[in-house]
Amino acid sequence: MEAWSSAIDDTNRSILERSLLIAQDDGGPGVCWLLHPDGAAQDGEWAAYEWLTGDGSSPDDDRYENFGALLWDAARRLDTD
């Protein structure tokens, strides 16, 4: 958290501080999957984020309504590769 938060703004720092890290790819491009409770929908599903830590992006660049949507998009991308 300390290494990541030094290079991001307050909004993204808040996302990181309250997120649950559910996947991290340390051997590749540095992809992290995060679940964030503050972005919960009416049905209680938490917002999900896919963050590529090594490319200069921010956690909120790839926000999904829920974990299922993130998985669906990841599977779609695998299918097109």
Side-chain angles (χ1 to χ4, degrees):
M1 177 63 203
E2 288 179 28
W4 290 341
S5 67
S6 64
I8 59 174
D9 60 27
D10 289 340
T11 299
N12 286 296
R13 186 174 297 107
S14 173
I15 290 170
L16 288 177
E17 288 173 347
R18 298 221 355 109
S19 288
L20 174 66
L21 178 65
I22 58 171
Q24 182 175 2
D25 175 18
D26 286 332
V31 176
C32 294
W33 284 2
L34 308 164
L35 295 180
H36 191 254
D38 289 353
Q42 292 281 358
D43 61 4
E45 291 283 333
W46 289 10
Y49 295 86
E50 182 176 48
W51 181 32
L52 286 81
T53 60
D55 73 353
S57 67
S58 296
D60 67 345
D61 287 348
D62 291 309
R63 183 187 187 279
Y64 296 85
E65 292 300 313
N66 55 50
F67 183 59
L70 187 154
L71 286 176
W72 183 261
D73 189 56
R76 180 193 56 78
R77 285 180 281 145
L78 281 175
D79 192 40
T80 61
D81 287 342

Tab-separated table of all heavy atoms in Angstrom, residues 11-74:
chain	number	residue	atom	x	y	z
A	11	THR	N	-8.372	10.145	-4.358
A	11	THR	CA	-9.506	9.271	-4.685
A	11	THR	C	-9.044	7.836	-4.808
A	11	THR	O	-9.639	6.921	-4.233
A	11	THR	CB	-10.175	9.719	-6.000
A	11	THR	OG1	-10.655	11.052	-5.838
A	11	THR	CG2	-11.314	8.796	-6.374
A	12	ASN	N	-7.986	7.614	-5.541
A	12	ASN	CA	-7.484	6.256	-5.735
A	12	ASN	C	-6.839	5.702	-4.464
A	12	ASN	O	-6.919	4.510	-4.200
A	12	ASN	CB	-6.521	6.203	-6.913
A	12	ASN	CG	-7.262	6.311	-8.215
A	12	ASN	OD1	-8.050	5.447	-8.550
A	12	ASN	ND2	-7.040	7.382	-8.946
A	13	ARG	N	-6.246	6.553	-3.667
A	13	ARG	CA	-5.695	6.116	-2.381
A	13	ARG	C	-6.829	5.598	-1.501
A	13	ARG	O	-6.718	4.570	-0.840
A	13	ARG	CB	-4.945	7.248	-1.696
A	13	ARG	CG	-4.229	6.808	-0.424
A	13	ARG	CD	-3.362	7.913	0.180
A	13	ARG	NE	-2.272	8.294	-0.733
A	13	ARG	CZ	-2.227	9.428	-1.436
A	13	ARG	NH1	-3.188	10.322	-1.309
A	13	ARG	NH2	-1.222	9.690	-2.227
A	14	SER	N	-7.960	6.273	-1.510
A	14	SER	CA	-9.128	5.843	-0.742
A	14	SER	C	-9.631	4.484	-1.232
A	14	SER	O	-10.012	3.636	-0.423
A	14	SER	CB	-10.240	6.891	-0.855
A	14	SER	OG	-11.415	6.434	-0.262
A	15	ILE	N	-9.635	4.278	-2.535
A	15	ILE	CA	-10.042	2.984	-3.096
A	15	ILE	C	-9.120	1.892	-2.577
A	15	ILE	O	-9.568	0.848	-2.103
A	15	ILE	CB	-10.039	3.014	-4.637
A	15	ILE	CG1	-11.171	3.898	-5.151
A	15	ILE	CG2	-10.170	1.602	-5.206
A	15	ILE	CD1	-11.112	4.175	-6.639
A	16	LEU	N	-7.823	2.142	-2.642
A	16	LEU	CA	-6.865	1.124	-2.195
A	16	LEU	C	-6.977	0.827	-0.703
A	16	LEU	O	-6.906	-0.327	-0.287
A	16	LEU	CB	-5.439	1.570	-2.515
A	16	LEU	CG	-5.035	1.545	-3.974
A	16	LEU	CD1	-3.623	2.082	-4.135
A	16	LEU	CD2	-5.135	0.152	-4.548
A	17	GLU	N	-7.157	1.849	0.095
A	17	GLU	CA	-7.204	1.659	1.546
A	17	GLU	C	-8.388	0.811	1.985
A	17	GLU	O	-8.309	0.098	2.967
A	17	GLU	CB	-7.243	3.019	2.253
A	17	GLU	CG	-5.925	3.752	2.181
A	17	GLU	CD	-5.999	5.163	2.731
A	17	GLU	OE1	-7.116	5.684	2.956
A	17	GLU	OE2	-4.926	5.756	2.933
A	18	ARG	N	-9.489	0.859	1.239
A	18	ARG	CA	-10.691	0.142	1.646
A	18	ARG	C	-10.986	-1.083	0.780
A	18	ARG	O	-12.038	-1.691	0.913
A	18	ARG	CB	-11.894	1.079	1.621
A	18	ARG	CG	-11.731	2.206	2.591
A	18	ARG	CD	-12.936	2.616	3.386
A	18	ARG	NE	-14.193	1.999	3.101
A	18	ARG	CZ	-14.793	1.131	3.926
A	18	ARG	NH1	-14.227	0.750	5.040
A	18	ARG	NH2	-15.983	0.665	3.622
A	19	SER	N	-10.083	-1.462	-0.082
A	19	SER	CA	-10.322	-2.591	-0.975
A	19	SER	C	-9.782	-3.896	-0.423
A	19	SER	O	-8.837	-3.920	0.360
A	19	SER	CB	-9.662	-2.341	-2.338
A	19	SER	OG	-10.354	-1.360	-3.048
A	20	LEU	N	-10.384	-4.953	-0.910
A	20	LEU	CA	-9.919	-6.300	-0.637
A	20	LEU	C	-9.175	-6.774	-1.882
A	20	LEU	O	-9.749	-6.814	-2.973
A	20	LEU	CB	-11.115	-7.209	-0.349
A	20	LEU	CG	-10.840	-8.686	-0.176
A	20	LEU	CD1	-9.995	-8.916	1.083
A	20	LEU	CD2	-12.152	-9.447	-0.063
A	21	LEU	N	-7.897	-7.070	-1.734
A	21	LEU	CA	-7.090	-7.575	-2.847
A	21	LEU	C	-7.414	-9.048	-3.018
A	21	LEU	O	-7.189	-9.851	-2.113
A	21	LEU	CB	-5.601	-7.388	-2.543
A	21	LEU	CG	-4.614	-7.905	-3.585
A	21	LEU	CD1	-4.739	-7.122	-4.884
A	21	LEU	CD2	-3.194	-7.817	-3.038
A	22	ILE	N	-7.968	-9.425	-4.182
A	22	ILE	CA	-8.369	-10.820	-4.379
A	22	ILE	C	-7.492	-11.552	-5.383
A	22	ILE	O	-7.550	-12.768	-5.456
A	22	ILE	CB	-9.853	-10.933	-4.789
A	22	ILE	CG1	-10.122	-10.157	-6.072
A	22	ILE	CG2	-10.747	-10.465	-3.659
A	22	ILE	CD1	-11.486	-10.408	-6.647
A	23	ALA	N	-6.690	-10.833	-6.141
A	23	ALA	CA	-5.762	-11.472	-7.075
A	23	ALA	C	-4.625	-10.519	-7.377
A	23	ALA	O	-4.825	-9.310	-7.489
A	23	ALA	CB	-6.472	-11.858	-8.368
A	24	GLN	N	-3.422	-11.078	-7.490
A	24	GLN	CA	-2.249	-10.259	-7.792
A	24	GLN	C	-1.286	-11.079	-8.632
A	24	GLN	O	-0.926	-12.191	-8.270
A	24	GLN	CB	-1.580	-9.811	-6.501
A	24	GLN	CG	-0.398	-8.915	-6.720
A	24	GLN	CD	0.161	-8.390	-5.404
A	24	GLN	OE1	-0.315	-8.717	-4.325
A	24	GLN	NE2	1.175	-7.565	-5.501
A	25	ASP	N	-0.866	-10.520	-9.755
A	25	ASP	CA	0.064	-11.176	-10.667
A	25	ASP	C	1.428	-10.531	-10.524
A	25	ASP	O	1.719	-9.538	-11.174
A	25	ASP	CB	-0.455	-11.057	-12.097
A	25	ASP	CG	0.515	-11.600	-13.125
A	25	ASP	OD1	1.424	-12.359	-12.754
A	25	ASP	OD2	0.373	-11.252	-14.307
A	26	ASP	N	2.258	-11.065	-9.642
A	26	ASP	CA	3.593	-10.510	-9.450
A	26	ASP	C	4.574	-10.963	-10.519
A	26	ASP	O	5.632	-10.373	-10.672
A	26	ASP	CB	4.153	-10.905	-8.077
A	26	ASP	CG	3.482	-10.133	-6.960
A	26	ASP	OD1	3.033	-9.005	-7.206
A	26	ASP	OD2	3.423	-10.668	-5.848
A	27	GLY	N	4.238	-12.015	-11.260
A	27	GLY	CA	5.165	-12.540	-12.248
A	27	GLY	C	4.966	-11.982	-13.637
A	27	GLY	O	5.728	-12.264	-14.543
A	28	GLY	N	3.933	-11.181	-13.826
A	28	GLY	CA	3.637	-10.639	-15.144
A	28	GLY	C	3.605	-9.132	-15.127
A	28	GLY	O	4.480	-8.488	-14.555
A	29	PRO	N	2.553	-8.546	-15.715
A	29	PRO	CA	2.481	-7.098	-15.815
A	29	PRO	C	2.041	-6.390	-14.536
A	29	PRO	O	1.857	-5.185	-14.538
A	29	PRO	CB	1.456	-6.881	-16.927
A	29	PRO	CG	0.580	-8.078	-16.856
A	29	PRO	CD	1.479	-9.216	-16.436
A	30	GLY	N	1.856	-7.131	-13.455
A	30	GLY	CA	1.459	-6.510	-12.196
A	30	GLY	C	-0.016	-6.205	-12.115
A	30	GLY	O	-0.406	-5.133	-11.676
A	31	VAL	N	-0.857	-7.131	-12.522
A	31	VAL	CA	-2.304	-6.939	-12.485
A	31	VAL	C	-2.838	-7.271	-11.099
A	31	VAL	O	-2.503	-8.298	-10.522
A	31	VAL	CB	-3.010	-7.829	-13.537
A	31	VAL	CG1	-4.516	-7.688	-13.428
A	31	VAL	CG2	-2.535	-7.480	-14.930
A	32	CYS	N	-3.665	-6.389	-10.568
A	32	CYS	CA	-4.344	-6.628	-9.296
A	32	CYS	C	-5.846	-6.554	-9.517
A	32	CYS	O	-6.325	-5.690	-10.252
A	32	CYS	CB	-3.958	-5.563	-8.273
A	32	CYS	SG	-2.236	-5.619	-7.775
A	33	TRP	N	-6.568	-7.453	-8.882
A	33	TRP	CA	-8.022	-7.386	-8.851
A	33	TRP	C	-8.422	-6.984	-7.442
A	33	TRP	O	-7.950	-7.563	-6.459
A	33	TRP	CB	-8.647	-8.721	-9.216
A	33	TRP	CG	-8.611	-9.031	-10.686
A	33	TRP	CD1	-8.055	-8.278	-11.673
A	33	TRP	CD2	-9.154	-10.174	-11.319
A	33	TRP	NE1	-8.218	-8.888	-12.886
A	33	TRP	CE2	-8.895	-10.061	-12.697
A	33	TRP	CE3	-9.829	-11.291	-10.857
A	33	TRP	CZ2	-9.293	-11.006	-13.614
A	33	TRP	CZ3	-10.233	-12.241	-11.780
A	33	TRP	CH2	-9.972	-12.104	-13.149
A	34	LEU	N	-9.290	-5.995	-7.347
A	34	LEU	CA	-9.710	-5.437	-6.069
A	34	LEU	C	-11.231	-5.438	-5.977
A	34	LEU	O	-11.916	-5.188	-6.970
A	34	LEU	CB	-9.222	-3.990	-5.935
A	34	LEU	CG	-7.744	-3.710	-6.171
A	34	LEU	CD1	-7.516	-2.224	-6.388
A	34	LEU	CD2	-6.929	-4.197	-4.991
A	35	LEU	N	-11.748	-5.683	-4.789
A	35	LEU	CA	-13.168	-5.484	-4.504
A	35	LEU	C	-13.275	-4.327	-3.522
A	35	LEU	O	-12.515	-4.246	-2.552
A	35	LEU	CB	-13.786	-6.738	-3.891
A	35	LEU	CG	-13.839	-7.966	-4.782
A	35	LEU	CD1	-14.477	-9.124	-4.034
A	35	LEU	CD2	-14.597	-7.689	-6.067
A	36	HIS	N	-14.225	-3.431	-3.778
A	36	HIS	CA	-14.337	-2.215	-2.980
A	36	HIS	C	-15.751	-2.069	-2.421
A	36	HIS	O	-16.715	-1.931	-3.175
A	36	HIS	CB	-13.985	-1.008	-3.858
A	36	HIS	CG	-13.821	0.244	-3.096
A	36	HIS	ND1	-14.752	1.246	-3.109
A	36	HIS	CD2	-12.836	0.658	-2.263
A	36	HIS	CE1	-14.340	2.235	-2.342
A	36	HIS	NE2	-13.187	1.902	-1.811
A	37	PRO	N	-15.902	-2.067	-1.090
A	37	PRO	CA	-17.238	-2.030	-0.492
A	37	PRO	C	-17.976	-0.703	-0.649
A	37	PRO	O	-19.203	-0.685	-0.648
A	37	PRO	CB	-16.975	-2.305	0.991
A	37	PRO	CG	-15.580	-1.838	1.220
A	37	PRO	CD	-14.852	-2.130	-0.065
A	38	ASP	N	-17.262	0.394	-0.802
A	38	ASP	CA	-17.939	1.686	-0.922
A	38	ASP	C	-18.696	1.824	-2.231
A	38	ASP	O	-19.547	2.691	-2.365
A	38	ASP	CB	-16.940	2.842	-0.787
A	38	ASP	CG	-16.416	2.984	0.632
A	38	ASP	OD1	-16.915	2.273	1.538
A	38	ASP	OD2	-15.496	3.788	0.840
A	39	GLY	N	-18.386	0.988	-3.189
A	39	GLY	CA	-19.076	1.042	-4.471
A	39	GLY	C	-20.161	-0.004	-4.589
A	39	GLY	O	-20.523	-0.400	-5.691
A	40	ALA	N	-20.699	-0.473	-3.463
A	40	ALA	CA	-21.700	-1.534	-3.482
A	40	ALA	C	-22.972	-1.085	-4.200
A	40	ALA	O	-23.442	0.035	-4.029
A	40	ALA	CB	-22.033	-1.982	-2.060
A	41	ALA	N	-23.515	-2.000	-4.975
A	41	ALA	CA	-24.754	-1.748	-5.703
A	41	ALA	C	-25.957	-2.044	-4.796
A	41	ALA	O	-25.804	-2.500	-3.656
A	41	ALA	CB	-24.805	-2.629	-6.951
A	42	GLN	N	-27.150	-1.828	-5.309
A	42	GLN	CA	-28.384	-2.097	-4.561
A	42	GLN	C	-28.461	-3.544	-4.090
A	42	GLN	O	-28.989	-3.825	-3.022
A	42	GLN	CB	-29.604	-1.786	-5.434
A	42	GLN	CG	-29.779	-0.331	-5.732
A	42	GLN	CD	-30.414	0.428	-4.573
A	42	GLN	OE1	-30.770	-0.142	-3.551
A	42	GLN	NE2	-30.532	1.723	-4.729
A	43	ASP	N	-27.921	-4.469	-4.889
A	43	ASP	CA	-27.990	-5.897	-4.533
A	43	ASP	C	-26.876	-6.315	-3.566
A	43	ASP	O	-26.756	-7.483	-3.221
A	43	ASP	CB	-27.969	-6.771	-5.776
A	43	ASP	CG	-26.698	-6.608	-6.606
A	43	ASP	OD1	-25.774	-5.863	-6.197
A	43	ASP	OD2	-26.617	-7.236	-7.676
A	44	GLY	N	-26.048	-5.376	-3.142
A	44	GLY	CA	-24.982	-5.664	-2.180
A	44	GLY	C	-23.662	-6.069	-2.804
A	44	GLY	O	-22.670	-6.239	-2.102
A	45	GLU	N	-23.619	-6.228	-4.128
A	45	GLU	CA	-22.368	-6.587	-4.807
A	45	GLU	C	-21.400	-5.422	-4.757
A	45	GLU	O	-21.757	-4.281	-5.034
A	45	GLU	CB	-22.641	-6.956	-6.267
A	45	GLU	CG	-23.392	-8.248	-6.461
A	45	GLU	CD	-22.509	-9.453	-6.279
A	45	GLU	OE1	-21.286	-9.365	-6.510
A	45	GLU	OE2	-23.050	-10.510	-5.916
A	46	TRP	N	-20.162	-5.718	-4.392
A	46	TRP	CA	-19.126	-4.696	-4.340
A	46	TRP	C	-18.615	-4.376	-5.742
A	46	TRP	O	-18.569	-5.248	-6.613
A	46	TRP	CB	-17.957	-5.183	-3.510
A	46	TRP	CG	-18.205	-5.284	-2.041
A	46	TRP	CD1	-19.399	-5.173	-1.391
A	46	TRP	CD2	-17.232	-5.524	-1.047
A	46	TRP	NE1	-19.217	-5.333	-0.049
A	46	TRP	CE2	-17.891	-5.550	0.193
A	46	TRP	CE3	-15.862	-5.729	-1.070
A	46	TRP	CZ2	-17.223	-5.763	1.387
A	46	TRP	CZ3	-15.208	-5.943	0.121
A	46	TRP	CH2	-15.885	-5.953	1.335
A	47	ALA	N	-18.194	-3.142	-5.945
A	47	ALA	CA	-17.540	-2.766	-7.194
A	47	ALA	C	-16.212	-3.518	-7.288
A	47	ALA	O	-15.591	-3.843	-6.278
A	47	ALA	CB	-17.286	-1.269	-7.234
A	48	ALA	N	-15.788	-3.813	-8.503
A	48	ALA	CA	-14.531	-4.522	-8.735
A	48	ALA	C	-13.642	-3.664	-9.629
A	48	ALA	O	-14.126	-2.924	-10.486
A	48	ALA	CB	-14.799	-5.875	-9.390
A	49	TYR	N	-12.353	-3.790	-9.397
A	49	TYR	CA	-11.375	-3.030	-10.175
A	49	TYR	C	-10.291	-3.968	-10.669
A	49	TYR	O	-9.852	-4.861	-9.950
A	49	TYR	CB	-10.711	-1.949	-9.305
A	49	TYR	CG	-11.663	-0.885	-8.835
A	49	TYR	CD1	-12.405	-1.054	-7.672
A	49	TYR	CD2	-11.819	0.283	-9.559
A	49	TYR	CE1	-13.282	-0.076	-7.238
A	49	TYR	CE2	-12.697	1.272	-9.121
A	49	TYR	CZ	-13.422	1.075	-7.967
A	49	TYR	OH	-14.291	2.050	-7.543
A	50	GLU	N	-9.854	-3.738	-11.898
A	50	GLU	CA	-8.675	-4.415	-12.428
A	50	GLU	C	-7.629	-3.323	-12.617
A	50	GLU	O	-7.830	-2.384	-13.384
A	50	GLU	CB	-8.978	-5.109	-13.748
A	50	GLU	CG	-7.790	-5.847	-14.299
A	50	GLU	CD	-8.128	-6.619	-15.553
A	50	GLU	OE1	-8.760	-6.045	-16.465
A	50	GLU	OE2	-7.758	-7.790	-15.621
A	51	TRP	N	-6.519	-3.455	-11.920
A	51	TRP	CA	-5.512	-2.400	-11.923
A	51	TRP	C	-4.186	-2.972	-12.389
A	51	TRP	O	-3.660	-3.922	-11.817
A	51	TRP	CB	-5.389	-1.817	-10.526
A	51	TRP	CG	-4.398	-0.706	-10.393
A	51	TRP	CD1	-4.062	0.217	-11.328
A	51	TRP	CD2	-3.630	-0.400	-9.239
A	51	TRP	NE1	-3.123	1.081	-10.837
A	51	TRP	CE2	-2.844	0.720	-9.546
A	51	TRP	CE3	-3.528	-0.963	-7.973
A	51	TRP	CZ2	-1.964	1.286	-8.632
A	51	TRP	CZ3	-2.657	-0.393	-7.067
A	51	TRP	CH2	-1.895	0.722	-7.393
A	52	LEU	N	-3.644	-2.411	-13.457
A	52	LEU	CA	-2.329	-2.784	-13.969
A	52	LEU	C	-1.316	-1.847	-13.324
A	52	LEU	O	-1.121	-0.722	-13.776
A	52	LEU	CB	-2.286	-2.684	-15.485
A	52	LEU	CG	-3.028	-3.810	-16.208
A	52	LEU	CD1	-4.504	-3.548	-16.260
A	52	LEU	CD2	-2.454	-4.020	-17.573
A	53	THR	N	-0.698	-2.313	-12.256
A	53	THR	CA	0.152	-1.454	-11.439
A	53	THR	C	1.411	-0.977	-12.151
A	53	THR	O	1.970	0.038	-11.791
A	53	THR	CB	0.562	-2.172	-10.143
A	53	THR	OG1	1.272	-3.367	-10.470
A	53	THR	CG2	-0.656	-2.514	-9.308
A	54	GLY	N	1.857	-1.700	-13.162
A	54	GLY	CA	3.120	-1.363	-13.801
A	54	GLY	C	3.019	-0.444	-14.999
A	54	GLY	O	4.031	-0.064	-15.580
A	55	ASP	N	1.801	-0.051	-15.385
A	55	ASP	CA	1.686	0.760	-16.598
A	55	ASP	C	1.340	2.224	-16.350
A	55	ASP	O	1.024	2.958	-17.265
A	55	ASP	CB	0.672	0.144	-17.563
A	55	ASP	CG	-0.768	0.305	-17.119
A	55	ASP	OD1	-0.998	0.773	-15.984
A	55	ASP	OD2	-1.668	-0.042	-17.902
A	56	GLY	N	1.387	2.654	-15.096
A	56	GLY	CA	1.103	4.045	-14.787
A	56	GLY	C	-0.376	4.367	-14.680
A	56	GLY	O	-0.740	5.530	-14.540
A	57	SER	N	-1.235	3.360	-14.751
A	57	SER	CA	-2.665	3.600	-14.640
A	57	SER	C	-3.073	3.781	-13.176
A	57	SER	O	-2.273	3.597	-12.268
A	57	SER	CB	-3.449	2.446	-15.265
A	57	SER	OG	-3.278	1.265	-14.512
A	58	SER	N	-4.330	4.132	-12.975
A	58	SER	CA	-4.898	4.284	-11.639
A	58	SER	C	-5.888	3.164	-11.385
A	58	SER	O	-6.468	2.629	-12.330
A	58	SER	CB	-5.623	5.620	-11.528
A	58	SER	OG	-4.718	6.682	-11.683
A	59	PRO	N	-6.145	2.829	-10.117
A	59	PRO	CA	-7.110	1.772	-9.829
A	59	PRO	C	-8.485	2.017	-10.440
A	59	PRO	O	-9.154	1.088	-10.868
A	59	PRO	CB	-7.188	1.769	-8.301
A	59	PRO	CG	-5.877	2.290	-7.861
A	59	PRO	CD	-5.478	3.297	-8.903
A	60	ASP	N	-8.921	3.275	-10.509
A	60	ASP	CA	-10.271	3.530	-11.024
A	60	ASP	C	-10.358	3.588	-12.547
A	60	ASP	O	-11.413	3.851	-13.104
A	60	ASP	CB	-10.857	4.789	-10.398
A	60	ASP	CG	-10.141	6.063	-10.816
A	60	ASP	OD1	-9.020	5.978	-11.357
A	60	ASP	OD2	-10.691	7.142	-10.575
A	61	ASP	N	-9.271	3.295	-13.255
A	61	ASP	CA	-9.312	3.288	-14.726
A	61	ASP	C	-10.160	2.139	-15.273
A	61	ASP	O	-10.772	2.268	-16.331
A	61	ASP	CB	-7.904	3.193	-15.320
A	61	ASP	CG	-7.124	4.493	-15.177
A	61	ASP	OD1	-7.736	5.526	-14.840
A	61	ASP	OD2	-5.904	4.464	-15.387
A	62	ASP	N	-10.161	1.002	-14.579
A	62	ASP	CA	-10.922	-0.167	-15.027
A	62	ASP	C	-11.851	-0.623	-13.910
A	62	ASP	O	-11.570	-1.560	-13.173
A	62	ASP	CB	-9.979	-1.307	-15.438
A	62	ASP	CG	-9.214	-0.984	-16.707
A	62	ASP	OD1	-9.859	-0.590	-17.693
A	62	ASP	OD2	-7.980	-1.103	-16.698
A	63	ARG	N	-12.988	0.063	-13.784
A	63	ARG	CA	-13.975	-0.241	-12.752
A	63	ARG	C	-15.102	-1.069	-13.362
A	63	ARG	O	-15.561	-0.801	-14.465
A	63	ARG	CB	-14.563	1.044	-12.172
A	63	ARG	CG	-15.549	0.802	-11.050
A	63	ARG	CD	-16.233	2.097	-10.627
A	63	ARG	NE	-17.051	1.932	-9.464
A	63	ARG	CZ	-18.284	1.442	-9.470
A	63	ARG	NH1	-18.850	1.053	-10.605
A	63	ARG	NH2	-18.966	1.335	-8.342
A	64	TYR	N	-15.549	-2.058	-12.600
A	64	TYR	CA	-16.661	-2.920	-13.003
A	64	TYR	C	-17.737	-2.833	-11.929
A	64	TYR	O	-17.440	-2.623	-10.757
A	64	TYR	CB	-16.194	-4.372	-13.163
A	64	TYR	CG	-15.191	-4.546	-14.266
A	64	TYR	CD1	-13.833	-4.329	-14.033
A	64	TYR	CD2	-15.582	-4.888	-15.551
A	64	TYR	CE1	-12.901	-4.473	-15.053
A	64	TYR	CE2	-14.658	-5.028	-16.572
A	64	TYR	CZ	-13.318	-4.824	-16.317
A	64	TYR	OH	-12.399	-4.963	-17.323
A	65	GLU	N	-18.974	-3.025	-12.322
A	65	GLU	CA	-20.086	-2.949	-11.379
A	65	GLU	C	-19.989	-4.008	-10.288
A	65	GLU	O	-20.439	-3.792	-9.172
A	65	GLU	CB	-21.423	-3.076	-12.100
A	65	GLU	CG	-21.741	-1.893	-12.979
A	65	GLU	CD	-21.814	-0.589	-12.196
A	65	GLU	OE1	-22.472	-0.564	-11.134
A	65	GLU	OE2	-21.191	0.388	-12.621
A	66	ASN	N	-19.398	-5.158	-10.619
A	66	ASN	CA	-19.269	-6.243	-9.646
A	66	ASN	C	-18.204	-7.237	-10.126
A	66	ASN	O	-17.678	-7.119	-11.235
A	66	ASN	CB	-20.609	-6.947	-9.409
A	66	ASN	CG	-21.230	-7.451	-10.689
A	66	ASN	OD1	-20.584	-8.120	-11.492
A	66	ASN	ND2	-22.493	-7.106	-10.908
A	67	PHE	N	-17.892	-8.206	-9.278
A	67	PHE	CA	-16.865	-9.194	-9.592
A	67	PHE	C	-17.243	-10.038	-10.810
A	67	PHE	O	-16.391	-10.357	-11.639
A	67	PHE	CB	-16.618	-10.076	-8.372
A	67	PHE	CG	-15.517	-11.080	-8.566
A	67	PHE	CD1	-14.235	-10.677	-8.868
A	67	PHE	CD2	-15.767	-12.432	-8.427
A	67	PHE	CE1	-13.216	-11.597	-9.049
A	67	PHE	CE2	-14.756	-13.362	-8.600
A	67	PHE	CZ	-13.480	-12.945	-8.904
A	68	GLY	N	-18.512	-10.375	-10.935
A	68	GLY	CA	-18.960	-11.150	-12.098
A	68	GLY	C	-18.676	-10.437	-13.409
A	68	GLY	O	-18.262	-11.047	-14.390
A	69	ALA	N	-18.890	-9.133	-13.440
A	69	ALA	CA	-18.619	-8.352	-14.657
A	69	ALA	C	-17.132	-8.342	-14.971
A	69	ALA	O	-16.735	-8.429	-16.141
A	69	ALA	CB	-19.151	-6.929	-14.495
A	70	LEU	N	-16.298	-8.253	-13.945
A	70	LEU	CA	-14.851	-8.294	-14.151
A	70	LEU	C	-14.446	-9.653	-14.735
A	70	LEU	O	-13.687	-9.718	-15.706
A	70	LEU	CB	-14.119	-8.032	-12.839
A	70	LEU	CG	-12.606	-7.875	-12.901
A	70	LEU	CD1	-12.131	-7.027	-11.745
A	70	LEU	CD2	-11.876	-9.181	-12.883
A	71	LEU	N	-14.965	-10.735	-14.155
A	71	LEU	CA	-14.653	-12.073	-14.664
A	71	LEU	C	-15.123	-12.253	-16.103
A	71	LEU	O	-14.419	-12.842	-16.928
A	71	LEU	CB	-15.280	-13.149	-13.778
A	71	LEU	CG	-14.625	-13.395	-12.443
A	71	LEU	CD1	-15.418	-14.424	-11.651
A	71	LEU	CD2	-13.189	-13.846	-12.608
A	72	TRP	N	-16.317	-11.784	-16.390
A	72	TRP	CA	-16.868	-11.900	-17.747
A	72	TRP	C	-15.959	-11.191	-18.749
A	72	TRP	O	-15.650	-11.738	-19.811
A	72	TRP	CB	-18.273	-11.303	-17.777
A	72	TRP	CG	-18.948	-11.447	-19.095
A	72	TRP	CD1	-19.050	-10.503	-20.067
A	72	TRP	CD2	-19.593	-12.611	-19.604
A	72	TRP	NE1	-19.720	-10.994	-21.148
A	72	TRP	CE2	-20.074	-12.287	-20.885
A	72	TRP	CE3	-19.816	-13.875	-19.093
A	72	TRP	CZ2	-20.760	-13.209	-21.674
A	72	TRP	CZ3	-20.510	-14.792	-19.878
A	72	TRP	CH2	-20.969	-14.457	-21.144
A	73	ASP	N	-15.512	-9.995	-18.424
A	73	ASP	CA	-14.638	-9.255	-19.325
A	73	ASP	C	-13.282	-9.938	-19.473
A	73	ASP	O	-12.737	-10.011	-20.572
A	73	ASP	CB	-14.463	-7.817	-18.841
A	73	ASP	CG	-13.737	-6.959	-19.853
A	73	ASP	OD1	-14.207	-6.885	-21.008
A	73	ASP	OD2	-12.695	-6.387	-19.503
A	74	ALA	N	-12.736	-10.461	-18.372
A	74	ALA	CA	-11.449	-11.165	-18.443
A	74	ALA	C	-11.562	-12.405	-19.327
A	74	ALA	O	-10.675	-12.683	-20.137
A	74	ALA	CB	-10.972	-11.542	-17.045
